[in-house]
């Protein structure tokens, strides 16, 4: 049995005051960590204040990292810097970073290696565009992303990664993939992992769905056998909704 994992991706939202209000509102209300992993991935300036107050059943993640430990990389943050403040997760390869900040699969691959070296659990995002979905390219595109992004990682390392399947056309659009489509695509990702590694790794790895996940669709998504959780943007910003979204993942 894979433990479900619900992660909020706050993107570029919430000042320190807003983040503090959120964390006080959810602490004591989230389900037990034995039942579900709850994660908030926040922007860099609030990470430390969130980690200090994260409580038993919430873990804090970053939304990006650089693949070098240090150097002349203006504006970047490294794995040792995140580790030093006890960040537990990091989103790698979000489609917004791929599209708007020119992040390549090669860079994403190096970031995964670096996060794992520092014992920070990566949430690797993959997903197709609307054009790719409509022209039947979804599986080929996902296979290529997985091969390039995971290159050189061992089976033991890949077991610990979380994969977020986020169809680009469903992000922030209110258009969710139907739970059947989301499940079929997560199943494809699992089969691809089995072919790249083995069935044990495929059975162990947790695959989230992301893209317009809300209170009105999470129950249906979480019933699907290949969906182990969700990566949630907009709906994760409200503390009451976040608690309910996490509760919905408890089987
Ligand atoms: P929304 O839930 O706002 O569609 O965002 C999804 C997402 O990009 C999470 O990483």
């Amino acid at each position: 049995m894979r433990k479900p994992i619900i992660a909020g991706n706050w993107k570029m939202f919430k000042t320190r005051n807003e983040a503090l209000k959120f964390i006080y509102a959810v602490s004591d209300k989230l389900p037990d960590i034995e039942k579900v992993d709850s994660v908030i991935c926040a922007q860099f300036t609030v990470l430390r204040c969130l980690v200090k107050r994260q409580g038993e059943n919430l873990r804090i993640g970053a939304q990006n990292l650089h693949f070098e430990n240090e150097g002349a990389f203006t504006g970047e943050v490294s794995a040792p810097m995140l580790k030093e403040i006890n960040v537990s997760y990091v989103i790698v390869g979000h489609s917004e970073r791929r599209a708007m900040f020119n992040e390549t699969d090669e860079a994403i691959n190096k970031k995964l290696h670096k996060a794992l070296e520092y014992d920070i659990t990566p949430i690797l995002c993959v997903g197709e565009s609307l054009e790719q979905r409509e022209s039947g390219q979804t599986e080929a595109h996902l296979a290529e992303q997985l091969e390039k992004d995971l290159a050189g990682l061992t089976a033991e390392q890949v077991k610990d990664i979380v994969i977020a399947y986020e169809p680009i056309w469903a992000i922030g659009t209110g258009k969710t993939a139907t739970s059947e489509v989301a499940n079929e695509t997560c199943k494809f990702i699992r089969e691809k992992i089995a072919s790249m590694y083995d069935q044990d790794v495929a059975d162990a790895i947790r695959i989230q769905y992301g893209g317009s996940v809300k209170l009105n669709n999470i129950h249906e998504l979480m019933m699907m056998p290949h969906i182990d959780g969700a990566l949630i943007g907009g709906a994760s910003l409200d503390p009451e909704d976040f608690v309910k979204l996490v509760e919905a993942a408890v089987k």
Side-chain angles (χ1 to χ4, degrees):
M1 269 297 277
R2 296 179 292 267
K3 193 189 346 172
I5 173 165
I6 300 293
N9 173 10
W10 280 356
K11 308 191 178 184
M12 201 174 72
F13 288 95
K14 292 206 192 283
T15 60
R16 184 171 182 277
N17 275 343
E18 291 164 345
L20 282 172
K21 263 192 204 153
F22 179 99
I23 199 127
Y24 290 133
V26 302
S27 66
D28 307 337
K29 297 205 180 74
L30 289 165
D32 200 279
I33 196 163
E34 301 297 318
K35 296 191 182 131
V36 55
D37 283 322
S38 330
V39 184
I40 286 291
C41 297
Q43 47 87 356
F44 291 127
T45 63
V46 299
L47 289 176
R48 195 169 134 76
C49 89
L50 291 176
V51 167
K52 276 163 90 182
R53 298 168 178 86
Q54 68 192 0
E56 286 290 299
N57 40 8
L58 181 66
R59 292 290 169 268
I60 304 303
Q63 300 171 8
N64 184 27
L65 81 167
H66 195 274
F67 51 75
E68 295 291 349
N69 285 357
E70 61 181 14
F73 302 106
T74 302
E76 294 292 311
V77 171
S78 72
M81 294 167 186
L82 295 175
K83 190 66 195 172
E84 184 185 34
I85 59 163
N86 290 322
V87 163
S88 312
Y89 289 84
V90 62
I91 296 174
V92 177
H94 192 280
S95 61
E96 286 154 15
R97 294 212 57 86
R98 292 180 189 254
M100 290 184 255
F101 302 96
N102 302 318
E103 227 170 76
T104 62
D105 287 305
E106 289 68 27
I108 289 163
N109 175 249
K110 289 188 198 168
K111 291 179 181 206
L112 290 176
H113 280 269
K114 187 53 75 175
L116 289 163
E117 181 188 331
Y118 279 84
D119 208 18
I120 302 172
T121 303
I123 300 177
L124 167 66
C125 300
V126 294
E128 80 287 2
S129 64
L130 186 58
E131 199 186 348
Q132 286 166 326
R133 164 85 36 197
E134 286 177 342
S135 61
Q137 295 297 304
T138 299
E139 294 192 353
H141 176 68
L142 292 172
E144 187 184 339
Q145 283 188 321
L146 291 168
E147 277 164 24
K148 289 184 172 168
D149 296 350
L150 300 176
L153 294 176
T154 65
E156 278 311 305
Q157 288 177 309
V158 170
K159 266 185 189 170
D160 290 337
I161 289 181
V162 177
I163 294 181
Y165 165 56
E166 297 208 311
I168 298 167
W169 46 272
I171 295 178
T173 57
K175 274 193 222 168
T176 340
T178 62
S179 39
E180 285 76 19
V181 166
N183 185 58
E184 274 309 300
T185 317
C186 290
K187 179 168 177 258
F188 169 77
I189 291 171
R190 203 175 297 287
E191 287 166 357
K192 178 70 191 168
I193 296 290
S195 78
M196 290 168 66
Y197 294 91
D198 57 39
Q199 196 57 44
D200 270 4
V201 177
D203 289 339
I205 196 165
R206 295 186 292 177
I207 305 177
Q208 299 174 310
Y209 167 77
S212 298
V213 175
K214 311 269 181 237
L215 283 174
N216 64 9
N217 55 25
I218 189 153
H219 288 93
E220 205 186 315
L221 288 161
M222 289 305 303
M223 304 256 287
M224 295 290 150
H226 288 285
I227 300 179
D228 305 314
L231 183 58
I232 306 171
S236 74
L237 294 168
D238 180 85
E240 279 176 30
D241 284 1
F242 183 70
V243 171
K244 288 185 192 144
L245 288 160
V246 176
E247 284 169 349
V250 178
K251 301 224 162 119

